[in-house]
Amino acid sequence: MACAAEAILQVLSGPRLFNSDSCFHKSNSLPSSKYYATGERESGFVYKPNLRSRKCYPTHSLAESFSCKCQQAESVSGAAISDNEINGVANASILDNFGVARELGHEKVRISSKLHTTSIDSIEDEAWDLLRASMVYYCGNPIGTIAANDPNDSSLLNYDQVFIRDFVPSGIAFLLKGEYDIVRTFILHTLQLQVSFELSELLVHLIVTLDNPKNFRIILPFVICLGLDMSWEKTMDCHSPGQGLMPASFKVRTVPLDGDDSATEDVLDPDFGEAAIGRVAPVDSGLWWIILLRAYGKCSGDLSVQERVDVQTGIKMILKLCLADGFDMFPTLLVTDGSCMIDRRMGIHGHPLEIQALFYSALLCAREMLAPEDGSADLITALNNRLVALSFHIREYYWIDMKKLNEIYRYKTEEYSYDAVNKFNIYPDQIPPWLVEWMPNKGGYLIGNLQPAHMDFRYFSLGNLWSIVGSLATTEQSHAILDLFEAKWAELVADMPMKICYPALEGEEWRIVTGSDPKNTPWSYHNGGSWPTLLWQLTVACIKMNRPEIAENAVKIAERRISRDKWPEYYDTKRARFIGKQARLFQTWSIAGYLVAKLLLANPGAAHILVNVEDMELVNAFSCMLSANPRRKRSRKGLKQSYII
Ligand code: GLC
C-alpha cells in the first residue's frame, strides 16, 4: 500500500515528476489553425483523473477527458523541437486545432522537400516525411502519431486518434533513429490514462500517507468531486473496466479554457472501447505498452523511466489485471472477440494466439523491469508460474505440423480421465479440408485458438511472428514457422506482405462467424487481407532466427508499390492485388512498419530491444512438465507439482 500511495503522490504532487506549466493557448495571439503552448505557470497540482466510479454520469462531461494542466515529462520540454529542427521540419507550420500535423500526405512531402536539403527520391525519405507529418502534439510536444493521415479522406472515423498498438512501430522507428523524447512522452502520458484506483481506495491511500497537513491541498479536489458526485472516468452503461486497462486510443482535443473565451487548453481524451465499433476492450494495449517501455530503456539507455514509482505501479496494475484468477482452466488469457489488432468480430474470442504471444512477451519484459522489493514477491512468483504454464500450453497444444495433424486425425474422443491424450476433446472431423492440402511437409505453425472441442486452425501472422520474437515458440518451432512462411510465400506474401490470417472465412462460415460483416468479406481487411505493417514484426522474427533474407525479400516486394499506392492500410484479394476496399491511405503504421523493417535490416543488432531470449530456468521447468505430460508418459505423477522459480 505504501508503494501505491507513493505512486499516487508522485503523480499528484506534480513538480517532482512533471513541470506544472499550464498548457493553454490564447487564441487571439496565434494563427487560427495553429498554436503553441504559452507555457504560463500554474501553481496547481497534477492528478490522475481517470478514476473509477460506481456512479453513472453523463457522457462528454468534464469527467471524460484528461485535461492537461500541463503534464510534461521533466526532460521532454523543448527536446522535441530540437529533434525536429535537426530534421528540418517546421513544426509551427503543421499544427492544427487537434494538435495534429495537418499538412498531410503528399502535400506535406512537397512542403518538407522545400525545407529539406536532401531530396525525397527514396521511398525511405518519403516515409520519414510522412511519419513526421503524422505526429500529434500535446502542449507543444509530440506525444504520438495519428493512425491515418489522408488529406482526401473526410470519413476518418477514429483514424484521427493515436492508437496504442499503431504507435508501437512509430515509436520503434523513432527510437532506432535516436529520437527518444516522443516515445518517453507517449509512455508517460498513456500511463496517466490507464484505468486507475477506485476513488475511495485512492482516498484511503492518501489519508494513510498524508502525514503532513500541508498536503491537504492535494486531496481537496477529490473530496470536492466526491461531494459533487462527479467522476473522471470512462464507463459503458455504468460499468467500468478493470484497473490497469490501457486505452485503445486517445485524441488530443483543444477546448476553450473555462472562464476565458480567448484561450484554449489541450486535453487527452482516451477511448477504452466505450466508443469503439463493437465496444471492444483493447487487451493488447497494456501488453504493447510494456513491450515499448522496455524497448525505450534498452535503446536509449535511460532506465529512469521504468524505475519511476508511477511507472512501476502501472506495470504492476497491468500484470495484476492479466494474472487475476478467473473461471478459466487454461493458463492462456481469456478474452472477447476483437480485443487486439483484429478489433472486430472474427471468431477469435477465447484464447487467441496474438494475445497469448503478446502476454508472454510482456511478462518477460515486465520481469526484467520490475524493481525487486518485498511487496512484489507474490506477483513475481505468479508471473513465473504463468510463464512456465503458458509456454507449456502453447508449445504443446497450439503447435501443428504434419506429424501433429496426423495425430489429431487419429484422435480418440470422449476420453474422461486425467491422462487423456485428446484433452480438449477435438473431433478429428474438425480438421478443415484446406489444411490437409496446405500443410507443407517441412514447417509448421501455432494455431489461432484453442477451446474445449475447438481448434481454430487458421494461421495468424502476428501471433506466430511474435511467438518467435518473445520465445514463446521453441527454437525448433520458430524455424519451422519461418519454413512454412517460405513454403507458403505465394499465399502469405504474394503481391504484398503479408496476410493477417490464412485462409479467409467464406460463404456461410463468413456469415455466421463475422455476423455478415461487410468490411470483413473474404480476402479483405481482417479476413485474409494483407497488411504491410506486419513487415516489422516479420523482420524482427527473421533477424532473431538469423534468417534476415526472408524479411529482405518481403520488403523488396512491398517496395514495388507501397509508396505508389500511397501507403495503404491493407490490400485485398487472395494475392493482395488490390488496395483494400475501405483501406485508409497514408496509414501511419504501414509507413512506420516499413521504416522499422529497413532500419533493422540495416542494423540487425538493434533488434535486441524487442527480442526476449529464452530463459534457461523456464526451459528446465518446461522439460520437467514435458516429461510429466501424459501424452508422452501416461502417469498422473508429477502433474500435481507446481513450478515455482
Ligand atoms: C483498425 C485495425 C486496428 C488498428 C486501427 C487503427 O481498426 O483493425 O488494429 O489499430 O484500425 O489503425
Side-chain angles (χ1 to χ4, degrees):
M1 179 182 275
C3 163
E6 197 188 329
I8 294 158
L9 281 177
Q10 215 181 73
V11 174
L12 295 177
S13 56
R16 208 170 88 74
L17 301 176
F18 301 106
N19 292 339
S20 54
D21 292 344
S22 179
C23 135
F24 49 82
H25 326 283
K26 290 278 178 190
S27 55
N28 58 1
S29 62
L30 290 158
S32 58
S33 62
K34 298 152 192 173
Y35 62 78
Y36 267 123
T38 56
E40 286 176 46
R41 192 161 280 277
E42 256 198 354
S43 56
F45 54 86
V46 181
Y47 55 80
K48 191 169 183 179
N50 47 331
L51 303 168
R52 298 216 308 167
S53 168
R54 295 188 192 88
K55 306 265 161 50
C56 289
Y57 53 83
T59 51
H60 303 300
S61 66
L62 152 79
E64 295 206 330
S65 302
F66 177 30
S67 167
C68 153
K69 294 282 189 181
C70 157
Q71 289 80 1
Q72 215 171 357
E74 276 165 332
S75 64
V76 169
S77 186
I81 308 290
S82 55
D83 278 348
N84 289 330
E85 275 166 0
I86 291 165
N87 293 291
V89 177
N91 278 330
S93 68
I94 55 172
L95 299 180
D96 79 348
N97 285 336
F98 297 97
V100 171
R102 271 292 167 198
E103 264 133 40
L104 309 166
H106 40 265
E107 290 179 25
K108 171 67 180 62
V109 174
R110 274 205 306 274
I111 289 159
S112 50
S113 68
K114 286 183 203 144
L115 300 168
H116 282 274
T117 46
T118 53
S119 75
I120 55 157
D121 285 348
S122 81
I123 302 176
E124 249 174 290
D125 287 343
E126 181 195 327
W128 272 113
D129 282 339
L130 291 168
L131 184 63
R132 290 189 202 292
S134 74
M135 271 153 67
V136 174
Y137 289 77
Y138 177 63
C139 302
N141 289 312
I143 189 179
T145 48
I146 191 175
N149 212 355
D150 182 357
N152 300 317
D153 189 350
S154 52
S155 60
L156 268 174
L157 295 172
N158 54 352
Y159 283 81
D160 61 349
Q161 306 207 4
V162 180
F163 279 74
I164 308 293
R165 72 175 76 84
D166 292 39
F167 179 72
V168 176
S170 300
I172 302 294
F174 287 121
L175 288 179
L176 294 173
K177 197 81 171 167
E179 296 171 28
Y180 308 134
D181 294 327
I182 183 172
V183 182
R184 179 187 160 95
T185 310
F186 172 88
I187 287 169
L188 292 175
H189 283 92
T190 44
L191 175 69
Q192 300 284 307
L193 301 176
Q194 185 182 34
V195 174
S196 187
F197 301 90
E198 292 276 351
L199 206 51
S200 53
E201 200 180 318
L202 180 74
L203 282 173
V204 173
H205 285 307
L206 286 170
I207 291 161
V208 167
T209 320
L210 289 177
D211 44 3
N212 183 349
K214 269 199 289 182
N215 286 338
F216 189 71
R217 72 179 178 87
I218 294 169
I219 203 172
L220 191 61
F222 294 99
V223 177
I224 293 170
C225 285
L226 269 185
L228 294 177
D229 197 19
M230 279 169 57
S231 161
W232 284 317
E233 197 208 278
K234 302 271 192 174
T235 62
M236 187 191 144
D237 301 335
C238 299
H239 178 71
S240 307
Q243 284 177 19
L245 187 73
M246 285 280 187
S249 60
F250 65 87
K251 193 175 169 105
V252 180
R253 287 187 201 281
T254 301
V255 296
L257 193 68
D258 279 350
D260 185 350
D261 289 348
S262 64
T264 58
E265 65 177 327
D266 284 354
V267 294
L268 293 183
D269 187 5
D271 180 1
F272 291 90
E274 75 282 351
I277 295 165
R279 303 291 184 263
V280 281
V283 179
D284 62 341
S285 288
L287 306 173
W288 278 123
W289 183 85
I290 290 178
I291 292 166
L292 185 64
L293 173 65
R294 170 179 175 263
Y296 168 83
K298 279 197 164 289
C299 196
S300 68
D302 169 18
L303 301 183
S304 70
V305 174
Q306 67 191 50
E307 285 165 359
R308 285 168 56 142
V309 177
D310 55 344
V311 174
Q312 289 278 317
T313 304
I315 300 174
K316 284 183 205 158
M317 288 211 297
I318 297 169
L319 293 181
K320 281 182 186 159
L321 186 60
C322 295
L323 296 172
D325 291 335
F327 288 106
D328 219 1
M329 289 299 291
F330 302 167
T332 35
L333 262 187
L334 178 63
V335 299
T336 59
D337 218 341
S339 58
C340 49
M341 176 183 182
I342 296 179
D343 56 1
R344 294 162 83 96
R345 191 174 150 194
M346 264 290 288
I348 60 162
H349 53 275
H351 307 93
L353 178 66
E354 176 180 333
I355 289 290
Q356 315 314 325
L358 292 174
F359 181 33
Y360 189 79
S361 162
L363 287 178
L364 287 173
C365 293
R367 195 173 65 161
E368 247 178 76
M369 294 186 291
L370 277 177
E373 49 158 291
D374 291 349
S376 48
D378 286 351
L379 189 65
I380 307 262
T381 304
L383 187 156
N384 278 324
N385 283 338
R386 194 63 171 261
L387 279 171
V388 177
L390 190 57
S391 66
F392 177 81
H393 187 88
I394 297 284
R395 291 170 178 194
E396 276 292 287
Y397 307 128
Y398 278 58
W399 182 251
I400 189 132
D401 54 13
M402 265 310 263
K403 185 167 162 277
K404 181 72 182 289
L405 196 55
N406 208 161
E407 267 175 40
I408 299 171
Y409 182 72
R410 291 167 50 80
Y411 264 168
K412 291 187 177 47
T413 57
E414 324 292 337
E415 294 177 280
Y416 180 84
S417 68
Y418 289 106
D419 52 5
V421 173
N422 181 6
K423 281 205 177 91
F424 308 101
N425 201 31
I426 305 298
Y427 299 105
D429 274 359
Q430 247 174 70
I431 298 175
W434 67 264
L435 185 58
V436 177
E437 301 301 321
W438 199 67
M439 183 62 84
N441 286 330
K442 186 174 171 220
Y445 66 97
L446 297 164
I447 59 167
N449 212 324
L450 176 67
Q451 314 259 55
H454 175 65
M455 286 176 111
D456 182 346
F457 289 100
R458 282 175 293 172
Y459 167 89
F460 287 86
S461 290
L462 180 48
N464 273 282
L465 295 175
W466 212 259
S467 298
I468 298 177
V469 175
S471 289
L472 176 57
T474 63
T475 307
E476 209 186 348
Q477 289 173 342
S478 300
H479 276 298
I481 293 169
L482 294 183
D483 290 341
L484 176 125
F485 189 71
E486 284 191 307
K488 297 292 156 188
W489 189 267
E491 283 105 326
L492 299 178
V493 176
D495 285 1
M496 179 56 70
M498 55 184 295
K499 285 267 178 307
I500 193 167
C501 67
Y502 185 92
L505 299 167
E506 303 195 61
E508 192 63 355
E509 208 183 359
W510 163 79
R511 200 181 63 75
I512 294 167
V513 176
T514 71
S516 304
D517 185 344
K519 204 166 169 182
N520 273 334
T521 50
W523 307 107
S524 181
Y525 199 43
H526 300 142
N527 188 13
S530 297
W531 293 65
T533 187
L534 293 167
L535 266 180
W536 78 270
Q537 288 105 339
L538 171 71
T539 306
V540 186
C542 292
I543 290 175
K544 184 186 174 211
M545 301 318 294
N546 206 13
R547 294 167 72 172
E549 65 287 349
I550 301 177
E552 266 158 17
N553 291 337
V555 168
K556 275 186 205 141
I557 289 185
E559 276 171 339
R560 284 190 208 148
R561 54 190 291 215
I562 193 165
S563 153
R564 198 187 64 205
D565 290 347
K566 303 194 179 114
W567 307 91
E569 180 187 14
Y570 63 93
Y571 286 78
D572 283 359
T573 76
K574 263 190 185 177
R575 287 196 54 87
R577 300 190 72 189
F578 295 161
I579 297 171
K581 217 181 339 178
Q582 294 188 48
R584 308 284 147 187
L585 301 180
F586 301 104
Q587 178 80 16
T588 304
W589 70 353
S590 300
I591 297 163
Y594 166 76
L595 281 175
V596 172
K598 291 294 275 190
L599 288 162
L600 289 178
L601 288 170
N603 178 17
H608 81 280
I609 65 169
L610 293 156
V611 163
N612 303 108
V613 187
E614 185 148 53
D615 178 322
M616 286 328 282
E617 277 182 288
L618 285 180
V619 176
N620 289 340
F622 178 79
S623 35
C624 287
M625 291 191 77
L626 208 57
S627 51
N629 181 17
R631 204 162 69 82
R632 319 247 159 171
K633 188 173 144 208
R634 287 174 175 265
S635 146
R636 257 193 94 192
K637 240 172 80 189
L639 280 180
K640 276 187 185 159
Q641 251 177 283
S642 73
Y643 296 88
I644 298 175
I645 299 168

